[in-house]
Amino acid sequence: MQIVSLILFLLYAIAILILLGGLLSSKWVRKNNVYRTENRKVSVIVAFRNERGCLTELIKSLAGQDLQYNHWEAILVDDHSSDGSYELALSLAQGLPVSLYKLPKELKGKKSALLFGLSKAQHDIIAITDADCVLPSSWLREISFEMAHTDFFQGEVRPIVGARSLISWFEALDYTSLMAVSAASFALHRPVIAASANLAFNRKLIPVDSESIRLDVHSGDDMFLLHAAKKQKIRRMRFLSSTNIAVQTYFDGGLNGFLNRRIRWASKAKSYTDIETIILASIVFAINAWLVMLLVLGALGFFDIMFPLKIWFWKSALDFIFLFTYLIRTNQLKLLVVFLPLQVVYPFYITLAALTGLIKGITWKGRTSV
């Protein structure tokens, strides 16, 4: 048991230290606010379903973009909403370069909505965001500039947390840890995480169809798009953290929302084919599941509980160094307030979410997928 524990910990430590090398580079972060002159025209695609509570802020932030209207368009596709989202979006989009469509009855799901929106896009540079996001006024200008030098672009996503919600803070730090891995892996030219809240690509170079984004899998449009780009040997791939580009999204869905989000992310992992993503995900799952087993057996008296606690301590120390490096460079150190309590429950909910997502499947926005 000790040998297996040592092997898993060493594999995890090696992975974290390699990623830390990416974070310590200067390739992914820009703190200056230099004004960028646009270079490429951009089509923004947003798929939404029952997002009436979020669409006002999204469309307001689209209206506030400082990129000239003749340099961009937004295509919003309603995936059979039942809460009046389409009607609200229609009223808010008046006078903007925004087109609204309802997804045909025979189609359903976010991926189908994105493909439908893509078929309506006029430009080759495609930007994707989510309906629950708030965009900085310079977002499209920055994407327009970056996509003159990049073919696949991942922008930073920052959480907006509920001030009095501990779960919201947990979820925010958890999500930010994934952003840190994304930033590090892109800096190493081995990207393993993408987020559709702030993503852009050149559709002339990256095939986007029902096969490449796996229409048969309920979620994961961003990850499968990343894998498609890697299969095409796309070399100009970049992650950027900057106040000019960072998109904000809300994390205040309570405990159920927290767990369901993790389960949804885990459910798509069984369909991954990218070896680097599979290796990293396997190492993270293995060390956490093994740690849970050791802690349970130790608590039952099968061996000294101090043994798994020592593993937990050193793993937490590595996680802290990695997260601190990302958070200090993105001015989000306040999230470390919940680091210790999150580390206590992290192995348990990660293991639970992974097993549930891989075995049972998910229910998301009234739809169930296995």
Side-chain angles (χ1 to χ4, degrees):
M1 188 160 304
Q2 289 184 344
I3 294 176
V4 174
S5 300
L6 180 60
I7 291 173
L8 288 176
F9 178 77
L10 286 176
L11 288 173
Y12 185 79
I14 290 170
I16 293 296
L17 291 174
I18 290 173
L19 289 169
L20 182 60
L23 283 188
L24 291 173
S25 74
S26 59
K27 298 177 181 179
W28 61 276
V29 64
R30 190 183 73 234
K31 291 192 175 182
N32 62 313
N33 292 318
V34 176
Y35 188 88
R36 302 280 180 170
T37 303
E38 66 271 8
N39 284 277
R40 303 294 300 273
K41 292 186 176 182
V42 183
S43 293
V44 181
I45 301 177
V46 182
F48 65 92
R49 173 177 167 82
N50 294 336
E51 295 283 4
R52 183 179 176 86
C54 301
L55 282 170
T56 298
E57 285 199 69
L58 172 71
I59 296 176
K60 186 183 297 183
S61 60
L62 281 171
Q65 294 299 302
D66 57 19
L67 183 63
Q68 296 177 0
Y69 279 5
N70 62 352
H71 274 75
W72 65 276
E73 63 169 350
I75 300 165
L76 275 59
V77 184
D78 176 26
D79 178 19
H80 310 291
S81 295
S82 58
D83 66 346
S85 291
Y86 178 85
E87 291 75 16
L88 175 64
L90 193 64
S91 65
L92 293 172
Q94 298 296 322
L96 299 174
V98 175
S99 301
L100 269 86
Y101 298 92
K102 287 188 175 182
L103 194 62
K105 292 182 179 180
E106 65 272 16
L107 302 175
K108 69 177 182 178
K110 180 182 178 182
K111 292 180 181 179
S112 292
L114 289 175
L115 289 175
F116 184 85
L118 193 63
S119 71
K120 303 296 182 180
Q122 299 182 44
H123 310 307
D124 291 327
I125 301 304
I126 306 297
I128 299 175
T129 190
D130 294 330
D132 59 352
C133 290
V134 181
L135 317 171
S137 60
S138 53
W139 183 64
L140 278 172
R141 171 167 49 82
E142 288 286 335
I143 287 179
S144 175
F145 175 83
E146 290 294 335
M147 291 308 295
H149 316 281
T150 308
D151 298 315
F152 188 98
F153 177 80
Q154 177 64 63
E156 180 189 2
V157 182
R158 295 193 177 199
I160 302 173
V161 297
R164 298 183 179 180
S165 171
L166 182 62
I167 297 298
S168 177
W169 280 75
F170 276 6
E171 191 172 11
L173 183 58
D174 182 44
Y175 185 83
T176 303
S177 71
L178 298 179
M179 277 289 100
V181 172
S182 181
S185 60
F186 269 88
L188 294 168
H189 305 290
R190 295 287 188 273
V192 294
I193 290 180
S196 61
N198 194 359
L199 189 153
F201 62 94
N202 187 334
R203 66 170 168 177
K204 275 191 171 182
L205 301 177
I206 302 172
V208 182
D209 52 34
S210 59
E211 182 178 352
S212 63
I213 64 171
R214 294 297 303 269
L215 203 58
D216 58 313
V217 180
H218 188 71
S219 65
D221 51 288
D222 40 19
M223 292 295 290
F224 293 117
L225 185 58
L226 172 63
H227 296 167
K230 292 176 74 172
K231 285 180 182 178
Q232 293 297 310
K233 308 295 183 183
I234 299 297
R235 295 185 179 276
R236 300 197 308 171
M237 306 176 75
R238 188 183 186 197
F239 180 104
L240 179 61
S241 168
S242 166
T243 54
N244 288 354
I245 196 73
V247 164
Q248 293 183 295
T249 189
Y250 287 92
F251 287 90
D252 201 12
L255 183 59
N256 286 337
F258 184 16
L259 290 175
N260 284 335
R261 190 188 297 265
R262 264 296 184 175
I263 291 170
R264 179 164 54 94
W265 291 341
S267 68
K268 58 195 176 188
K270 57 190 173 184
S271 301
Y272 290 164
T273 57
D274 179 68
I275 188 64
E276 292 166 337
T277 304
I278 292 171
I279 289 173
L280 183 60
S282 298
I283 291 173
V284 172
F285 171 73
I287 187 67
N288 283 288
W290 185 256
L291 190 53
V292 167
M293 186 191 74
L294 292 181
L295 288 169
V296 171
L297 292 177
L300 293 174
F302 285 92
F303 49 77
D304 187 357
I305 190 68
M306 289 304 297
F307 174 60
L309 287 178
K310 287 178 181 178
I311 297 175
W312 173 85
F313 173 82
W314 288 111
K315 175 186 175 296
S316 297
L318 284 171
D319 292 343
F320 180 84
I321 294 170
F322 181 72
L323 280 173
F324 180 85
T325 303
Y326 179 82
L327 293 173
I328 195 172
R329 301 191 74 180
T330 57
N331 296 314
Q332 299 181 87
L333 278 177
K334 64 179 183 180
L335 292 177
L336 286 178
V337 169
V338 295
F339 175 79
L340 278 179
L342 183 63
Q343 285 295 109
V344 172
V345 299
Y346 185 86
F348 297 94
Y349 80 76
I350 284 296
T351 302
L352 174 65
L355 293 176
T356 303
L358 292 172
I359 297 172
K360 183 181 177 182
I362 58 169
T363 299
W364 186 252
K365 294 194 175 182
R367 292 171 178 159
T368 300
S369 174
V370 295

